[in-house]
Amino acid sequence: MSLARLAHGVVASVTIGGESWPPVELSPAAAMLLDRLWAKHGPLMFHQSGGCCDGSAPMCYPAGEFLTGDADVLLGELDLGPDADGPRVAPFWMSAEQFAYWRHTYLVVDVVPGRGSGFSVEAPEGVRFLIRSRLMDR
């Protein structure tokens, strides 16, 4: 993957039936961080819940470490582009309960200095992922 492409951010694929555009993207800074984290940890995934700990912060896990199911919605797949090992696609999941509230919200995963949850892979980096949002114009 070209770092120039990541410097423009990454828009997810459309994964929700009936939608014509994806509701989630990575900011350029988040795309660059995810690229570095992928090199360290291998395949990654996001999950966003409305639960405790970091509230509604997006949590980044090694792929498959957080089990998803019927109580989750796949909002999109963030394609970082291939590397020597093949495709690098990070799915972004949200709890169905939170999705019911945020259904009309466009999400941008960004990164800021500070310590997030100890469960999210970026925590040791001294930064944390966060969501910037806006209502979608439908």
Side-chain angles (χ1 to χ4, degrees):
M1 161 59 41
S2 141
L3 290 180
R5 178 176 179 261
L6 292 178
H8 295 289
V10 174
V11 177
S13 61
V14 176
T15 57
I16 298 172
E19 294 293 331
S20 57
W21 62 84
V24 65
E25 74 175 77
L26 296 173
S27 73
M32 299 289 279
L33 176 60
L34 195 62
D35 181 61
R36 288 194 324 266
L37 293 171
W38 194 290
K40 272 187 175 178
H41 302 283
L44 299 168
M45 64 179 287
F46 282 99
H47 188 272
Q48 172 133 359
S49 69
C52 67
C53 301
D54 274 341
S56 61
M59 305 292 279
C60 186
Y61 301 102
E65 187 173 296
F66 186 94
L67 298 179
T68 58
D70 292 342
D72 300 293
V73 175
L74 179 60
L75 291 188
E77 295 179 323
L78 299 154
D79 186 352
L80 297 176
D83 67 5
D85 296 325
R88 296 182 309 152
V89 177
F92 190 101
W93 294 87
M94 179 179 278
S95 72
E97 183 178 359
Q98 184 159 352
F99 179 68
Y101 292 109
W102 287 29
R103 159 167 232 113
H104 302 290
T105 306
Y106 188 80
L107 307 176
V108 178
V109 180
D110 203 357
V111 63
V112 294
R115 187 142 170 89
S117 169
F119 299 114
S120 195
V121 296
E122 84 280 4
E125 306 291 319
V127 295
R128 64 186 181 89
F129 288 113
L130 66 90
I131 292 292
R132 299 190 190 280
S133 63
R134 66 181 182 269
L135 290 177
M136 285 194 268
D137 188 23
R138 291 187 183 245

mmCIF file with all atom_site columns, all heavy atoms in Angstrom, residues 2 13 17 20 24 53 62 68 86-87 96 99 103 105 112-113 121 123:
data_model
loop_
_atom_site.group_PDB
_atom_site.id
_atom_site.type_symbol
_atom_site.label_atom_id
_atom_site.label_alt_id
_atom_site.label_comp_id
_atom_site.label_asym_id
_atom_site.label_entity_id
_atom_site.label_seq_id
_atom_site.pdbx_PDB_ins_code
_atom_site.Cartn_x
_atom_site.Cartn_y
_atom_site.Cartn_z
_atom_site.occupancy
_atom_site.B_iso_or_equiv
_atom_site.pdbx_formal_charge
_atom_site.auth_seq_id
_atom_site.auth_comp_id
_atom_site.auth_asym_id
_atom_site.auth_atom_id
_atom_site.pdbx_PDB_model_num
ATOM 1   N N   . SER A 1 2   ? 0.520   2.140   -0.788 1.00 0.00 ? 2   SER A N   1
ATOM 2   C CA  . SER A 1 2   ? 1.243   3.390   -0.865 1.00 0.00 ? 2   SER A CA  1
ATOM 3   C C   . SER A 1 2   ? 0.885   4.277   0.323  1.00 0.00 ? 2   SER A C   1
ATOM 4   O O   . SER A 1 2   ? -0.287  4.461   0.657  1.00 0.00 ? 2   SER A O   1
ATOM 5   C CB  . SER A 1 2   ? 0.873   4.071   -2.181 1.00 0.00 ? 2   SER A CB  1
ATOM 6   O OG  . SER A 1 2   ? 0.729   5.437   -2.049 1.00 0.00 ? 2   SER A OG  1
ATOM 7   N N   . SER A 1 13  ? -15.850 0.008   2.477  1.00 0.00 ? 13  SER A N   1
ATOM 8   C CA  . SER A 1 13  ? -16.765 -0.529  1.474  1.00 0.00 ? 13  SER A CA  1
ATOM 9   C C   . SER A 1 13  ? -18.184 -0.506  2.046  1.00 0.00 ? 13  SER A C   1
ATOM 10  O O   . SER A 1 13  ? -18.376 -0.425  3.252  1.00 0.00 ? 13  SER A O   1
ATOM 11  C CB  . SER A 1 13  ? -16.371 -1.963  1.134  1.00 0.00 ? 13  SER A CB  1
ATOM 12  O OG  . SER A 1 13  ? -16.464 -2.766  2.311  1.00 0.00 ? 13  SER A OG  1
ATOM 13  N N   . GLY A 1 17  ? -26.986 -3.732  3.570  1.00 0.00 ? 17  GLY A N   1
ATOM 14  C CA  . GLY A 1 17  ? -27.953 -3.849  2.482  1.00 0.00 ? 17  GLY A CA  1
ATOM 15  C C   . GLY A 1 17  ? -28.813 -2.602  2.340  1.00 0.00 ? 17  GLY A C   1
ATOM 16  O O   . GLY A 1 17  ? -29.257 -2.031  3.327  1.00 0.00 ? 17  GLY A O   1
ATOM 17  N N   . SER A 1 20  ? -26.176 3.037   -0.204 1.00 0.00 ? 20  SER A N   1
ATOM 18  C CA  . SER A 1 20  ? -25.410 3.333   -1.409 1.00 0.00 ? 20  SER A CA  1
ATOM 19  C C   . SER A 1 20  ? -24.028 3.910   -1.098 1.00 0.00 ? 20  SER A C   1
ATOM 20  O O   . SER A 1 20  ? -23.208 4.061   -1.983 1.00 0.00 ? 20  SER A O   1
ATOM 21  C CB  . SER A 1 20  ? -26.187 4.300   -2.301 1.00 0.00 ? 20  SER A CB  1
ATOM 22  O OG  . SER A 1 20  ? -26.485 5.478   -1.582 1.00 0.00 ? 20  SER A OG  1
ATOM 23  N N   . VAL A 1 24  ? -18.626 4.785   7.300  1.00 0.00 ? 24  VAL A N   1
ATOM 24  C CA  . VAL A 1 24  ? -17.407 4.902   8.118  1.00 0.00 ? 24  VAL A CA  1
ATOM 25  C C   . VAL A 1 24  ? -16.181 5.069   7.232  1.00 0.00 ? 24  VAL A C   1
ATOM 26  O O   . VAL A 1 24  ? -16.113 4.535   6.130  1.00 0.00 ? 24  VAL A O   1
ATOM 27  C CB  . VAL A 1 24  ? -17.257 3.674   9.058  1.00 0.00 ? 24  VAL A CB  1
ATOM 28  C CG1 . VAL A 1 24  ? -17.036 2.391   8.283  1.00 0.00 ? 24  VAL A CG1 1
ATOM 29  C CG2 . VAL A 1 24  ? -16.155 3.880   10.086 1.00 0.00 ? 24  VAL A CG2 1
ATOM 30  N N   . CYS A 1 53  ? -16.074 1.224   29.941 1.00 0.00 ? 53  CYS A N   1
ATOM 31  C CA  . CYS A 1 53  ? -14.655 1.438   29.687 1.00 0.00 ? 53  CYS A CA  1
ATOM 32  C C   . CYS A 1 53  ? -14.442 2.764   28.979 1.00 0.00 ? 53  CYS A C   1
ATOM 33  O O   . CYS A 1 53  ? -14.496 3.796   29.604 1.00 0.00 ? 53  CYS A O   1
ATOM 34  C CB  . CYS A 1 53  ? -14.028 0.280   28.913 1.00 0.00 ? 53  CYS A CB  1
ATOM 35  S SG  . CYS A 1 53  ? -14.189 -1.296  29.760 1.00 0.00 ? 53  CYS A SG  1
ATOM 36  N N   . PRO A 1 62  ? -6.735  -7.413  17.378 1.00 0.00 ? 62  PRO A N   1
ATOM 37  C CA  . PRO A 1 62  ? -6.311  -8.382  16.368 1.00 0.00 ? 62  PRO A CA  1
ATOM 38  C C   . PRO A 1 62  ? -7.556  -9.094  15.823 1.00 0.00 ? 62  PRO A C   1
ATOM 39  O O   . PRO A 1 62  ? -8.490  -9.386  16.578 1.00 0.00 ? 62  PRO A O   1
ATOM 40  C CB  . PRO A 1 62  ? -5.414  -9.346  17.155 1.00 0.00 ? 62  PRO A CB  1
ATOM 41  C CG  . PRO A 1 62  ? -4.864  -8.510  18.272 1.00 0.00 ? 62  PRO A CG  1
ATOM 42  C CD  . PRO A 1 62  ? -6.017  -7.606  18.650 1.00 0.00 ? 62  PRO A CD  1
ATOM 43  N N   . THR A 1 68  ? -17.804 -11.407 17.205 1.00 0.00 ? 68  THR A N   1
ATOM 44  C CA  . THR A 1 68  ? -19.022 -10.706 16.802 1.00 0.00 ? 68  THR A CA  1
ATOM 45  C C   . THR A 1 68  ? -20.119 -11.734 16.543 1.00 0.00 ? 68  THR A C   1
ATOM 46  O O   . THR A 1 68  ? -19.844 -12.920 16.339 1.00 0.00 ? 68  THR A O   1
ATOM 47  C CB  . THR A 1 68  ? -18.773 -9.866  15.539 1.00 0.00 ? 68  THR A CB  1
ATOM 48  O OG1 . THR A 1 68  ? -18.311 -10.730 14.501 1.00 0.00 ? 68  THR A OG1 1
ATOM 49  C CG2 . THR A 1 68  ? -17.742 -8.775  15.800 1.00 0.00 ? 68  THR A CG2 1
ATOM 50  N N   . GLY A 1 86  ? -0.652  -10.303 1.387  1.00 0.00 ? 86  GLY A N   1
ATOM 51  C CA  . GLY A 1 86  ? -1.979  -10.307 0.786  1.00 0.00 ? 86  GLY A CA  1
ATOM 52  C C   . GLY A 1 86  ? -2.805  -9.101  1.182  1.00 0.00 ? 86  GLY A C   1
ATOM 53  O O   . GLY A 1 86  ? -2.276  -8.091  1.652  1.00 0.00 ? 86  GLY A O   1
ATOM 54  N N   . PRO A 1 87  ? -4.135  -9.193  1.014  1.00 0.00 ? 87  PRO A N   1
ATOM 55  C CA  . PRO A 1 87  ? -5.019  -8.056  1.294  1.00 0.00 ? 87  PRO A CA  1
ATOM 56  C C   . PRO A 1 87  ? -4.989  -7.670  2.772  1.00 0.00 ? 87  PRO A C   1
ATOM 57  O O   . PRO A 1 87  ? -4.759  -8.506  3.642  1.00 0.00 ? 87  PRO A O   1
ATOM 58  C CB  . PRO A 1 87  ? -6.411  -8.555  0.914  1.00 0.00 ? 87  PRO A CB  1
ATOM 59  C CG  . PRO A 1 87  ? -6.242  -9.897  0.330  1.00 0.00 ? 87  PRO A CG  1
ATOM 60  C CD  . PRO A 1 87  ? -4.853  -10.357 0.549  1.00 0.00 ? 87  PRO A CD  1
ATOM 61  N N   . ALA A 1 96  ? -25.425 -3.710  17.459 1.00 0.00 ? 96  ALA A N   1
ATOM 62  C CA  . ALA A 1 96  ? -26.705 -3.413  16.802 1.00 0.00 ? 96  ALA A CA  1
ATOM 63  C C   . ALA A 1 96  ? -27.499 -2.388  17.596 1.00 0.00 ? 96  ALA A C   1
ATOM 64  O O   . ALA A 1 96  ? -28.173 -1.525  17.014 1.00 0.00 ? 96  ALA A O   1
ATOM 65  C CB  . ALA A 1 96  ? -27.509 -4.701  16.618 1.00 0.00 ? 96  ALA A CB  1
ATOM 66  N N   . PHE A 1 99  ? -26.018 0.924   16.797 1.00 0.00 ? 99  PHE A N   1
ATOM 67  C CA  . PHE A 1 99  ? -26.317 1.239   15.399 1.00 0.00 ? 99  PHE A CA  1
ATOM 68  C C   . PHE A 1 99  ? -27.738 1.780   15.251 1.00 0.00 ? 99  PHE A C   1
ATOM 69  O O   . PHE A 1 99  ? -27.997 2.669   14.434 1.00 0.00 ? 99  PHE A O   1
ATOM 70  C CB  . PHE A 1 99  ? -26.120 0.006   14.515 1.00 0.00 ? 99  PHE A CB  1
ATOM 71  C CG  . PHE A 1 99  ? -26.426 0.253   13.069 1.00 0.00 ? 99  PHE A CG  1
ATOM 72  C CD1 . PHE A 1 99  ? -25.613 1.082   12.312 1.00 0.00 ? 99  PHE A CD1 1
ATOM 73  C CD2 . PHE A 1 99  ? -27.525 -0.324  12.470 1.00 0.00 ? 99  PHE A CD2 1
ATOM 74  C CE1 . PHE A 1 99  ? -25.897 1.322   10.970 1.00 0.00 ? 99  PHE A CE1 1
ATOM 75  C CE2 . PHE A 1 99  ? -27.813 -0.100  11.133 1.00 0.00 ? 99  PHE A CE2 1
ATOM 76  C CZ  . PHE A 1 99  ? -26.996 0.727   10.380 1.00 0.00 ? 99  PHE A CZ  1
ATOM 77  N N   . ARG A 1 103 ? -27.652 5.168   13.232 1.00 0.00 ? 103 ARG A N   1
ATOM 78  C CA  . ARG A 1 103 ? -27.946 4.740   11.862 1.00 0.00 ? 103 ARG A CA  1
ATOM 79  C C   . ARG A 1 103 ? -27.780 5.858   10.823 1.00 0.00 ? 103 ARG A C   1
ATOM 80  O O   . ARG A 1 103 ? -27.378 5.624   9.695  1.00 0.00 ? 103 ARG A O   1
ATOM 81  C CB  . ARG A 1 103 ? -29.348 4.148   11.833 1.00 0.00 ? 103 ARG A CB  1
ATOM 82  C CG  . ARG A 1 103 ? -29.978 4.108   10.505 1.00 0.00 ? 103 ARG A CG  1
ATOM 83  C CD  . ARG A 1 103 ? -31.211 3.244   10.490 1.00 0.00 ? 103 ARG A CD  1
ATOM 84  N NE  . ARG A 1 103 ? -30.993 2.350   9.386  1.00 0.00 ? 103 ARG A NE  1
ATOM 85  C CZ  . ARG A 1 103 ? -30.808 1.051   9.459  1.00 0.00 ? 103 ARG A CZ  1
ATOM 86  N NH1 . ARG A 1 103 ? -30.865 0.443   10.599 1.00 0.00 ? 103 ARG A NH1 1
ATOM 87  N NH2 . ARG A 1 103 ? -30.576 0.339   8.388  1.00 0.00 ? 103 ARG A NH2 1
ATOM 88  N N   . THR A 1 105 ? -25.732 8.475   11.044 1.00 0.00 ? 105 THR A N   1
ATOM 89  C CA  . THR A 1 105 ? -24.503 9.199   11.364 1.00 0.00 ? 105 THR A CA  1
ATOM 90  C C   . THR A 1 105 ? -23.349 8.675   10.526 1.00 0.00 ? 105 THR A C   1
ATOM 91  O O   . THR A 1 105 ? -23.172 7.467   10.387 1.00 0.00 ? 105 THR A O   1
ATOM 92  C CB  . THR A 1 105 ? -24.172 9.031   12.867 1.00 0.00 ? 105 THR A CB  1
ATOM 93  O OG1 . THR A 1 105 ? -25.308 9.423   13.635 1.00 0.00 ? 105 THR A OG1 1
ATOM 94  C CG2 . THR A 1 105 ? -22.992 9.874   13.258 1.00 0.00 ? 105 THR A CG2 1
ATOM 95  N N   . VAL A 1 112 ? -5.981  10.679  18.285 1.00 0.00 ? 112 VAL A N   1
ATOM 96  C CA  . VAL A 1 112 ? -5.506  11.828  19.041 1.00 0.00 ? 112 VAL A CA  1
ATOM 97  C C   . VAL A 1 112 ? -4.500  11.353  20.095 1.00 0.00 ? 112 VAL A C   1
ATOM 98  O O   . VAL A 1 112 ? -4.518  10.185  20.483 1.00 0.00 ? 112 VAL A O   1
ATOM 99  C CB  . VAL A 1 112 ? -6.667  12.584  19.740 1.00 0.00 ? 112 VAL A CB  1
ATOM 100 C CG1 . VAL A 1 112 ? -7.604  13.215  18.721 1.00 0.00 ? 112 VAL A CG1 1
ATOM 101 C CG2 . VAL A 1 112 ? -7.415  11.680  20.695 1.00 0.00 ? 112 VAL A CG2 1
ATOM 102 N N   . PRO A 1 113 ? -3.635  12.257  20.554 1.00 0.00 ? 113 PRO A N   1
ATOM 103 C CA  . PRO A 1 113 ? -2.729  11.878  21.641 1.00 0.00 ? 113 PRO A CA  1
ATOM 104 C C   . PRO A 1 113 ? -3.521  11.539  22.901 1.00 0.00 ? 113 PRO A C   1
ATOM 105 O O   . PRO A 1 113 ? -4.609  12.089  23.131 1.00 0.00 ? 113 PRO A O   1
ATOM 106 C CB  . PRO A 1 113 ? -1.885  13.144  21.873 1.00 0.00 ? 113 PRO A CB  1
ATOM 107 C CG  . PRO A 1 113 ? -2.052  13.961  20.636 1.00 0.00 ? 113 PRO A CG  1
ATOM 108 C CD  . PRO A 1 113 ? -3.404  13.616  20.085 1.00 0.00 ? 113 PRO A CD  1
ATOM 109 N N   . VAL A 1 121 ? -5.395  -2.071  20.601 1.00 0.00 ? 121 VAL A N   1
ATOM 110 C CA  . VAL A 1 121 ? -3.981  -2.252  20.277 1.00 0.00 ? 121 VAL A CA  1
ATOM 111 C C   . VAL A 1 121 ? -3.179  -0.955  20.176 1.00 0.00 ? 121 VAL A C   1
ATOM 112 O O   . VAL A 1 121 ? -1.955  -0.994  20.266 1.00 0.00 ? 121 VAL A O   1
ATOM 113 C CB  . VAL A 1 121 ? -3.774  -3.097  18.988 1.00 0.00 ? 121 VAL A CB  1
ATOM 114 C CG1 . VAL A 1 121 ? -4.278  -4.504  19.178 1.00 0.00 ? 121 VAL A CG1 1
ATOM 115 C CG2 . VAL A 1 121 ? -4.371  -2.432  17.781 1.00 0.00 ? 121 VAL A CG2 1
ATOM 116 N N   . ALA A 1 123 ? -3.222  1.471   22.375 1.00 0.00 ? 123 ALA A N   1
ATOM 117 C CA  . ALA A 1 123 ? -2.991  2.016   23.716 1.00 0.00 ? 123 ALA A CA  1
ATOM 118 C C   . ALA A 1 123 ? -1.502  2.192   24.047 1.00 0.00 ? 123 ALA A C   1
ATOM 119 O O   . ALA A 1 123 ? -1.110  3.252   24.548 1.00 0.00 ? 123 ALA A O   1
ATOM 120 C CB  . ALA A 1 123 ? -3.689  1.164   24.761 1.00 0.00 ? 123 ALA A CB  1
#
